[in-house]
Amino acid sequence: PSVTDVLIDGAGEVLVERAGRLAPSGLILRRPEIDALIERLVTPLGLRADRSHPIVDARLDDGTRVAVVLCPVAPDGPVVALRRHSLSVLGLERFGPVRVAAALREVVEERLNIVVYGATGSGKTTLLNALVGEAQPLDRVVLIEDTCELAPQRSSLVRLEARPGNAEGAGRVPISELVRAALRLRPDRIVVGEVRGPEAADMIWALSTGHRGSMSTIHANSPEDALARLGVMVSMGLGASVPLSAVSAQVERAVDVLVGVQRIPDGGRAVRAVHRCPVGREPEEVVTC
């Protein structure tokens, strides 16, 4: 149960992360074994992993995320990353002192729009799971993800998952399309698991249309970096016709709170700061750890 990630970096020893710490597993795989493993993982999903499709990102039936990168993109051999889906939901107290949990509950109760930022593996999804769980029981939450990872314990929940398309590219449904569909599903809150590209434009539009208390995550190292990255991604979705100043103003109006999360030395995850975002001014720190 403590295993969260299994990593194969070409032929050699498999690495396993347990309780937030990465270590050798003692299992050594040869190239033919890795090739057979990849085939067994992706073929039942209707996908293909070969030189013409060297990057595959998918989800197994049990929720495990599968990321595969092959030659020529990975010149040293096939790379496989498995991230296990956890059904447990941590309480906000697991992310910091009592004052931090209180500050997070307050912004959820005030129905402020929240963006969680941090590095890869810092706990953004885990914290978002906990924040969604703090929403009012009768709030209708529409949850949008690239790959289903969130499992908030609530009854009023609609889950939408992006679809990568088959080996020929048919049937693809991007996150941007799901965000637009969510607006027609009578949401009280819209939660986008992570924004990484042009779909940020649809997400910011959704946050600006009265769906207060919506949430998302983004890869960033600081609150200023998070706002800047959001602005760039929104511009990607809108095209060059919209000036960056107008995009930045829209992002500032849509995002009320930025929550930074980080991995701590013992392998756990913790909130490092909570910032409010007054329109036209730099983010103001509310609480820090």
Side-chain angles (χ1 to χ4, degrees), residues 48-285:
R48 209 164 71 212
D50 51 33
R51 292 182 68 88
S52 61
H53 300 83
I55 300 177
V56 177
D57 192 3
R59 177 177 62 87
L60 303 182
D61 290 340
D62 67 353
T64 299
R65 288 189 61 176
V66 179
V68 176
V69 184
L70 303 180
C71 181
V73 180
D76 296 327
V79 178
V80 182
L82 305 176
R83 170 158 290 187
R84 295 188 62 214
H85 179 62
S86 175
L87 296 177
S88 62
V89 179
L90 302 181
L92 293 178
E93 288 78 11
R94 295 286 295 273
F95 293 90
V98 173
R99 59 191 175 87
V100 172
L104 294 175
R105 285 197 176 92
E106 181 180 342
V107 298
V108 174
E109 290 172 1
E110 290 183 32
R111 306 190 70 86
L112 300 179
N113 293 333
I114 304 169
V115 172
V116 180
Y117 69 88
T120 301
S122 59
K124 299 185 297 298
T125 300
T126 307
L127 176 58
L128 187 62
N129 215 22
L131 291 171
V132 174
E134 292 292 329
Q136 291 295 319
L138 295 181
D139 281 352
R140 181 173 167 85
V141 177
V142 178
L143 178 59
I144 301 167
E145 295 181 89
D146 187 25
T147 302
C148 284
E149 291 183 294
L150 294 168
Q153 296 176 350
R154 55 181 303 109
S155 56
S156 185
L157 180 70
V158 177
R159 302 179 69 184
L160 303 177
E161 183 182 30
R163 186 179 179 187
N166 60 19
E168 287 72 38
R172 179 175 178 268
V173 181
I175 284 183
S176 57
E177 190 171 330
L178 294 181
V179 173
R180 291 191 292 271
L183 297 175
R184 300 188 290 270
L185 300 180
R186 198 266 176 208
D188 291 312
R189 300 174 187 255
I190 296 176
V191 178
V192 182
E194 182 181 349
V195 289
R196 291 179 287 189
E199 71 274 2
D202 298 280
M203 188 270 287
I204 290 297
W205 176 257
L207 299 188
S208 305
T209 54
H211 298 93
R212 305 300 301 164
S214 296
M215 309 175 196
S216 186
T217 74
I218 187 173
H219 283 87
N221 295 318
S222 68
E224 295 81 10
D225 185 29
L227 291 177
R229 284 177 59 84
L230 270 175
V232 170
M233 289 188 289
V234 170
S235 296
M236 292 167 56
L238 296 177
S241 59
V242 181
L244 187 57
S245 58
V247 170
S248 298
Q250 189 66 40
V251 170
E252 289 180 5
R253 291 187 180 94
V255 179
D256 299 315
V257 176
L258 292 163
V259 181
V261 65
Q262 65 184 0
R263 186 191 294 258
I264 54 180
D266 67 0
R269 278 75 171 171
V271 170
R272 69 182 190 186
V274 178
H275 289 80
R276 294 218 182 196
C277 305
V279 176
R281 302 203 304 273
E282 291 294 314
E284 296 177 352
E285 189 173 277

